[in-house]
Amino acid sequence: MLPIVLLSVFGIVLLFLGFLKSKTVLLPATLLFLSLALVVNFLDWNKTYLYFNDMLRTNNLTMVLTAIILGSAFMVVALSSKFMDDESAQPAEYYSIILFSLVGAIMMVGFENLIMLFVGVEILSVAMYVLTGSDKRNLRSNEAALKYFLMGAFTTGILLFGIALLYGATGSFTLAGIRGYAANAQMGLSLLLYVGLLMLLIGLLFKVSAAPFHFWTPDVYDGAPTIFTAFMSTVVKTAGFAALFRLLSVSFVGVYSFWWTILAIITAITLVAGNITAVYQNSFKRMMSYSSISHAGYLLLGLAALGTQTKQAIVFYSLAYSVATISAFGVLLLVAQQRSTQTFSGEGVTSENFDAFNGLARQNPLLGFAMAVSMLSLAGIPLTAGFWGKFYMFSTAVERGQIWLLVVAVLMSAVGIYYYFRVIIAMYFREGATEPIRVAPFYQYVLLAATILTIGLGIAPGLLEGLF
Amino acid sequence: MLTLFLILFPVVAATLILLLQGERVKQVALVAALIELAVAGFAFSRFQPDSTSQFGFDYPWIGSLGIRFSAGIDGISVLLVLLTGLIVPFIVLSTFDRSYERPNLFYALMLYMQAALVGVFTARDGFLFYLFFEAALIPIYFLAAMWGGENRIPVTFKFFVYTIFGSLFMLLALVYLYYQTPATATAPHSSAIVDFYKLKLTPEAQNWVFWAFFIAFAIKMPIFPFHTWQPDTYVESPTPATMLLAGIMLKMGVYGLIRFILPVVPLGVETWGKTAIILSVIGILYGSIIAIRQRDMKRLIAYSSFSHVGLMAAGVFSQTETGMQGALVQMLAHGINVVGMFFVADVIFSRTNTRQLDQLGGITRTTPKLTVFFMVMLLGSVALPLTNGFVGEFLLLHGVFTYNHYLGLAAGFTIIFGAVYMLRMFQKSMFGPTSSRTESFADLTSSESWVFIPLVVMVFWIGIYPHTFLKVTEPAVANLMKYIGTTAVSLK
């Protein structure tokens, strides 16, 4: 709960810092604020509290998930230094919006009441709409923001409708109340409950871009400035899955047999749609957005097989995925900025295609290595964190005996190798531009930290276990 | 602890090499590989021939899942650990007269590969095995794709996707087996391989677990019809990588058959073993026949290797003690022979810039040393008595013959075909009129000779006194066979 308060205050402080003539203070200040939030987050370690009239809960699980969210935000912000050079950017606003959006994300992690969930989702989403459109002079960015906003607003309606129906069915907004109803009234559960649950699921599945509610993802991810795409694909996804997990594991365990089939089918569609479409992309950024859809599929695999391992699986997967994704987008940012190609109108166009990575490993081994490790991790190759993420997911599904779903997931993992390796092939085996890519020292440290974390967790996945 | 050293030392050495610059990394890599060989040799000499696992270490790895970081050397793995230690120094030495771009990365990747291979052969935990099994793929992929031939990118990529695809099914099977082990209060389940052996799986489960494992190992070896990645990859890879692939990596597949398929799913083997042997025998004949038609030396050796490994698989699936013993010894022998043969191809290629048999000829005139070494390696490959190939092939054929006379007969053709394509290769390249490319063919340099000398010693050692090697594997094989027999009976 403390991080929520702190982040809200810090967000406002940052807005005021924006009045300063110098922009250089903003980035360190934001990083400091995020670190502070990260520290206070752990003050309640090993204790369980309920806040705001039992609307919000903190326990070790919510704290770890909050830490993943804050840590991802920290890394994204650390990679965002180019705002300082950009004339048209308004870093104070961006950073404070990021801090505010984190408030929403943390609410989604710890909600105890569906109203809190709704508020959290909205705080996070509205912030995302704004950030998506923040590159005001770029048509793609504008289009993406509008698309995201329209679709997002629509699903918010569905989500809210679902909450209302659930209230009608159970007479309660609280997770515990719904749980009591769903578990007790075994013989004749009201249809409203099922319909309400479905609508709630649709609303949240949209946020985590699971198929068939994923159509906005490629356009929005592609159109948004890369740094915010990184933020979106990690923070929003982690928060969304935390919310889904809470909802399903606390309130709806009693009706598992109803929702697991639906979720299993959605998982299969998501895996297939995400992985197969990603193969056909020529833009790295679009590939990453389809890859993000496919990772929603793997995370759903653990949810559909809700069991003793699911909690751990989701935490581990979210962490592994977030670190690798941020690292990949971090490298993309540099490459796209410095390898821009000229169009005939003379305007510089940033290059986000696979070709832009040609020969990268030769000019800048660190960038190449960081990218390669993150791609290996996303592909789930052993010795990286991503492998164990997949491993935990697969083992939850095996525990539940969902072999067919697992076979789909395994086949799709093999497909995934295809597109992740295109980047590695471009970087290591192809000849490319020779001018070196400049990397600021701090930027380098962030990428290095992400790489070390990915490999460290790949070798000793048990490290994370002590946490919860 | 010795095992831990064998796994970690190459990793440390490789990481150091990465930091070095220039040509001296060759020497450092050679010294590292020789140290590894010394330790592997020491382990071999101190190995007590019984069925236990020795020199092991065991640490908790993922506590909540009961997964342990556990490895050791037993009678099944001891020859393979020795092989891994033995081959790598010669591969490094074989590159001494060549130069590769970015040598530090090149040699580091080789040593990483070695560490992963030792890990595969010594893992006592199913997931640790999987981890190393996959980890071995990454260095070899980079070796092949960075320093390979013109067509390397699509070819190595196919190899990578193909093998990963197979291993993913193995992962499924491993996770499934893990959940079949009984859970206790302290550890939920166990992934120790010995605990997998204790499982009593239903016949249906055995069938699919059999296939999940079999596909993974069959792709790795490769067994017909999973071999399509192999010839291209062997040809396009730089020769040191090809040596690693053919000399050691494909043994991971045979080893997996012995370690996992036979003891874990004996009923699956009973149902599908015959299919597997038939596929293997098809591979033996198909590989040899295609080898006869090859013009490219490297491709010819690749197909011959495909054919030989089919025989090993058939021997393993024959489920006889001789077949299994044969497979273990043949893995060692084949590793030595194939590395020697590929090195011959590399020596010829480095001097003439071609591997096409039509463009070679008359090399013997100027090269007494190469001729002798080539001939010895070739005789080992065609399984002439008193060479290493004979011991393994004899035992293997004996095993397959005991299993089924007709299959044994069919598999026996490998010896005849082997002689045909090998001698044809020798004749076309070494005898006859010289071509413009071979007129001034220089004989072996001293470092090249030093690659061959120990290999030749090994060829005769195994051929004349195989007891040194057979005796260390024997108790483990006997124990395994007894075990398979009793489990299969108890399951019925």
Side-chain angles (χ1 to χ4, degrees), chain B residues 32-43:
Chain B
L34 285 173
I35 294 175
E36 177 88 354
L37 170 61
V39 178
F42 176 73

Side-chain angles (χ1 to χ4, degrees), chain A residues 241-265:
Chain A
F241 273 99
L244 274 170
F245 174 67
R246 261 190 94 62
L247 200 64
L248 295 173
S249 69
V250 177
S251 292
F252 295 102
V253 205
V255 287
Y256 176 76
S257 54
F258 165 71
W259 57 259
W260 101 262
T261 14
I262 299 170
L263 221 52
I265 293 166

Side-chain angles (χ1 to χ4, degrees), chain A residues 172-210:
Chain A
S172 169
F173 282 122
T174 64
L175 289 182
I178 297 170
R179 179 200 180 92
Y181 180 83
N184 287 332
Q186 281 294 351
M187 14 253 134
L189 283 182
S190 139
L191 183 65
L192 286 184
L193 180 96
Y194 293 123
V195 180
L197 171 60
L198 272 186
M199 293 190 140
L200 207 57
L201 279 182
I202 291 174
L204 286 173
L205 288 174
F206 173 87
K207 295 293 169 202
V208 300
S209 50

Side-chain angles (χ1 to χ4, degrees), chain A residues 362 406 417 421 429 459 465, chain B residues 61-62 64 101 164 172:
Chain A
R362 201 158 288 230
L406 212 55
I417 291 163
F421 265 71
F429 313 138
I459 293 168
E465 270 175 9
Chain B
W61 188 18
I62 309 176
S64 69
E101 240 184 283
I164 283 255
L172 265 189

Side-chain angles (χ1 to χ4, degrees), chain B residues 23-148:
Chain B
E23 289 290 302
R24 69 192 155 138
V25 293
K26 275 181 191 170
Q27 279 90 1
V28 181
L30 183 64
V31 170
L34 285 173
I35 294 175
E36 177 88 354
L37 170 61
V39 178
F42 176 73
F44 180 75
S45 67
R46 286 299 167 92
F47 184 79
Q48 298 298 320
D50 56 30
S51 51
T52 57
S53 170
Q54 298 162 28
F55 316 117
F57 65 91
D58 183 74
Y59 306 107
W61 188 18
I62 309 176
S64 69
L65 293 177
I67 297 176
R68 303 186 71 80
F69 201 93
S70 167
I73 300 175
D74 70 355
I76 308 285
S77 50
V78 62
L79 287 190
L80 290 159
V81 173
L82 181 69
L83 174 76
T84 313
L86 196 62
I87 298 287
V88 176
F90 300 123
I91 298 180
V92 174
L93 192 61
S94 79
T95 62
F96 261 50
D97 291 341
R98 326 264 180 276
S99 65
Y100 292 91
E101 240 184 283
R102 292 206 275 169
N104 55 346
L105 188 57
F106 185 81
Y107 292 100
L109 285 172
M110 281 221 267
L111 292 179
Y112 282 130
M113 174 83 183
Q114 183 178 30
L117 289 166
V118 175
V120 167
F121 297 136
T122 56
R124 287 189 298 209
D125 181 288
F127 294 119
L128 190 64
F129 174 84
Y130 181 82
L131 192 88
F132 284 125
F133 195 81
E134 294 289 80
L137 198 55
I138 297 169
I140 196 73
Y141 170 69
F142 279 94
L143 274 174
M146 288 177 86
W147 289 274

